[in-house]
Structure formats: C-alpha cells, structure tokens
Amino acid sequence: EDKVVQSPLSLVVHEGDTVTLNCSYEVTNFRSLLWYKQEKKAPTFLFMLTSSGIEKKSGRLSSILDKKELFSILNITATQTGDSAVYLCAVELNYGGSQGNLIFGKGTKLSVKP
Amino acid sequence: GAVVSQHPSWVICKSGTSVKIECRSLDFQATTMFWYRQFPKQSLMLMATSNEGSKATYEQGVEKDKFLINHASLTLSTLTVTSAHPEDSSFYICSAQRGRGPGFFGPGTRLTVL
C-alpha cells in the first residue's frame, strides 16, 4: 500500500527558531514529491521535487529530496508567527505515463509563538 | 497565474438533496482535475481523478453513483453529491493540474448536510 508519513505531527516553536519537517514515503511508482502549506482553507503550493540532492529554496523555506532513502525535509529558518499552519507533504504517482495523483501525509501542524 | 476557483464556498442542505460544486481553472487549461475530501483534523483524501472528455477514475471506496463528476471542458469540472446525507458533510477541495506541473488547489467548499 502506498503511504506518506510526516513527522512530527505537531510542533510548537518560538519566533526566530529554525524548524525541520520530515516526510518519508513508500510508493510503487514515484513521480514527484510536493510540499503544501495549509492555513484555513485550501493548501498553497510550496515546492515540487523530482531529483535527489537538489535543494529548492524560496525565502526562508527550503526543501530537499532523497530518493534513495525515500524522504524529504522542509526547513524553515527564522520562523515567524505567519508560518503557523499545517504543512502537507504529498507524493505524486506515475500511472503508465498519464497524469498521476497525489497521496498526502497527515501533515505537520506548526505553531510559532511570539 | 494558476488560479483555481470553487463555487460555492459553503453550502448547507437538507438530507436527501443533491449539491453541485464547480471547480474552474481561471487562467490556464487543466488537463486533469482532482477532487479531494478533507474531514476535520485529517489530511486530504483523493476521491477521483478526471480528465477532460473522459469518465472520472474513482478511488477505492468512493461511490461513483453518489459522487458524480463531470469534466466538461479544460477549465471546468463539477462534483455532484447526490442524495446527500449528514455523513457526507465535509470540506471538498479540487485541484487542477496542467501537464506535469504541480496541482493548484481551489479554495474548497464546506458542505453541511442537515
């Protein structure tokens, strides 16, 4: 059974801290791994990773994929209260060359205290 | 770019009625649209995948006769919850994908069945 596991499930930090969110996966036909941020409504896209070892960076957020060990991390440096959200990791599957679908982890709820 | 809208944002209906939810990609043509359901404090669960002009592919355990999906064009997909019951109350989110890029989520529709 394909699965995506995120850890920790919940995390509380203070502003200025650096956090690392983990995502491991076991799937039969991997295409890509995606990170989303979900606040009150629908998730917003952060990163899409397809190759191992290449760090993707956007401001204080960065992410990297390890396809050998089947995991990805999402780093947030100098956290701010606005970073408080649920961070979702999803793996896109490759179905015989057609568009795949996403399998989501349960998410990591990050709370940043002032 | 990559804006996806959903209508309505929320709907309350009586048990036994049918509800239609629209998902539109506003500034791009979506080759594939996905419908997800999210229960409180849980992650997104894929319900079905639809490609324009063809029948939707439903995930195991999702009743295709209850959740009717119509992907009429490259910018519009509709999900109709037929004969809705209180257990169908949930947050329904669509995602639109173009080519091999990441999916972009709509803002979601909160369905409450009384």
Side-chain angles (χ1 to χ4, degrees), chain A residues 45-63:
Chain A
F45 170 74
L46 296 176
F47 298 111
M48 181 179 188
L49 304 157
T50 55
S51 302
S52 280
I54 299 174
E55 185 184 50
K56 293 230 174 169
K57 200 169 171 65
S58 175
R60 296 177 293 104
L61 278 66
S62 63
S63 183

Side-chain angles (χ1 to χ4, degrees), chain B residues 43-81:
Chain B
S43 192
L44 284 77
M45 296 297 294
L46 180 67
M47 298 176 66
T49 302
S50 77
N51 294 293
E52 184 260 344
S54 59
K55 289 184 178 180
T57 302
Y58 290 80
E59 295 301 298
Q60 194 171 9
V62 178
E63 299 174 57
K64 62 180 180 181
D65 294 331
K66 181 171 182 62
F67 298 98
L68 301 178
I69 291 173
N70 186 331
H71 196 152
S73 73
L74 286 172
T75 59
L76 173 64
S77 176
T78 60
L79 167 68
T80 301
V81 184

Side-chain angles (χ1 to χ4, degrees), chain A residues 31 34 36 38 40-43 45 48 88 92 94 99-102 104-107, chain B residues 31-32 34 36 38 43-44 46 49 59 91 93 97 99-103 105-107:
Chain A
R31 171 179 271 186
L34 300 97
Y36 289 89
Q38 185 175 26
K40 292 186 177 178
K41 287 195 171 179
F45 170 74
M48 181 179 188
L88 295 169
E92 183 185 20
N94 195 350
Q99 300 298 326
N101 68 58
L102 298 179
F104 281 86
K106 292 187 185 297
Chain B
T31 48
T32 308
F34 304 93
Y36 295 87
Q38 186 176 34
S43 192
L44 284 77
L46 180 67
T49 302
E59 295 301 298
F91 191 53
I93 309 176
Q97 184 178 29
R100 291 194 61 179
F105 287 87

